[in-house]
Amino acid sequence: EVQLVESGGDLVQPGGSLRLSCAASGFTFSNYNMNWVRQAPGKGLEWVSYIGTGGYTIYYADSVKGRFTISRDNAKNSLYLQMTSLRNEDTAVYYCARDYRSSWRYYFDYWGQGALVTVSS
Amino acid sequence: QSVLTQPPSVSGAPGQRVTISCTGSSSNIGAGYDVQWYQQVPGAAPKLLMYGNDNRPSGVPDRVSGSKSGTSASLAITGLQTEDEADYYCQSYDVSLSTVVFGGGTKLTVL
């Protein structure tokens, strides 16, 4: 059974930093691209970042570019999101999500339960 | 403002049929990119409900169906049940933005 379990969510002050982790199990982690997707309270879904299987192909949403860093450790079956210069508007539940993509089809087939990040003074 | 446009809410009585629309543009759905749908029950993570416009993942009942035409897509649920009450999000890829894009979500209420 595919499982994705996020951890590291917390209350942090504006300008602060936080690192989220996502532990994967039930599939060969190193064979799959991964993503972070977030959801602000009462709002919709927003894609945040993507990382390829080897960790070399990386994309970010404009809203987090230069502040967030995605990484992975295939030996530990883990995905990470290092967040710096946090803003109030970064307050959200952050989900890690397994990626599927082909020429015309891009989607997330499995999601974790989410980690709540609250940015507030 | 979401790149894909969904109605904020839809409702129906148990046993009825409802549809949720998702309208995009020539840089996403209209460009040929497939549409996916996710179901999110309150307090839970999103779950893939439909992929590749009209394909159901294992475990999704056949009373749920999807379609795509031009720059729009639709999700239909027949034989509504109370357990269908949730938020539904459409998703595609936008070639101009070079990112995955979501609709704003539709809250389905079973009356």
Side-chain angles (χ1 to χ4, degrees):
Chain A
E1 178 195 4
V2 171
Q3 283 202 319
L4 298 168
V5 180
E6 299 92 338
S7 60
D10 205 347
L11 169 64
V12 60
Q13 291 189 341
S17 300
L18 200 62
R19 188 199 199 204
L20 301 181
S21 300
C22 171
S25 61
F27 64 102
T28 304
F29 181 70
S30 58
N31 288 350
Y32 287 85
N33 307 317
M34 297 294 295
N35 297 267
W36 289 98
V37 179
R38 69 183 179 183
Q39 185 172 35
K43 303 297 184 182
L45 301 169
E46 179 190 16
W47 170 79
V48 172
S49 185
Y50 160 96
I51 187 167
T53 55
Y56 303 109
T57 302
I58 287 174
Y59 305 118
Y60 297 100
D62 287 344
S63 57
V64 307
K65 202 172 294 183
R67 301 186 299 121
F68 289 12
T69 302
I70 191 172
S71 62
R72 65 189 296 161
D73 186 335
N74 287 340
K76 294 184 177 179
N77 293 332
S78 293
L79 174 72
Y80 306 101
L81 186 67
Q82 179 68 48
M83 303 182 291
T84 63
S85 302
L86 282 161
R87 306 167 180 166
N88 290 334
E89 55 264 35
D90 294 318
T91 294
V93 175
Y94 286 73
Y95 298 100
C96 70
R98 197 175 79 169
D99 187 271
Y100 175 93
R101 57 185 56 203
S102 63
S103 299
W104 298 97
R105 191 176 292 180
Y106 298 70
Y107 64 88
F108 313 114
D109 57 357
Y110 289 94
W111 300 61
Q113 88 289 349
L116 175 62
V117 174
T118 303
V119 184
S120 174
S121 54
Chain B
Q1 217 77 347
S2 301
V3 174
L4 305 179
T5 301
Q6 298 179 235
S9 63
V10 297
S11 63
Q16 285 190 333
R17 177 182 188 268
V18 296
T19 62
I20 300 173
S21 62
C22 175
T23 302
S25 68
S26 59
S27 62
N28 41 69
I29 300 175
Y33 291 97
D34 285 348
V35 176
Q36 281 63 234
W37 293 89
Y38 302 88
Q39 178 193 53
Q40 186 177 33
V41 298
K47 171 190 136 182
L48 182 65
L49 191 66
M50 192 74 57
Y51 67 95
N53 306 317
D54 57 5
N55 297 281
R56 286 183 302 274
S58 172
V60 175
D62 60 6
R63 58 189 185 82
V64 181
S65 62
S67 65
K68 172 190 160 184
S69 178
T71 59
S72 296
S74 288
L75 180 75
I77 305 175
T78 61
L80 265 182
Q81 301 179 6
T82 55
E83 67 202 48
D84 297 325
E85 196 159 278
D87 293 323
Y88 292 82
Y89 294 89
C90 63
Q91 172 259 307
S92 186
Y93 183 84
D94 192 287
V95 66
S96 296
L97 299 173
S98 298
T99 66
V100 164
V101 289
F102 288 97
T106 298
K107 182 176 181 60
L108 168 59
T109 301
V110 181
L111 303 170

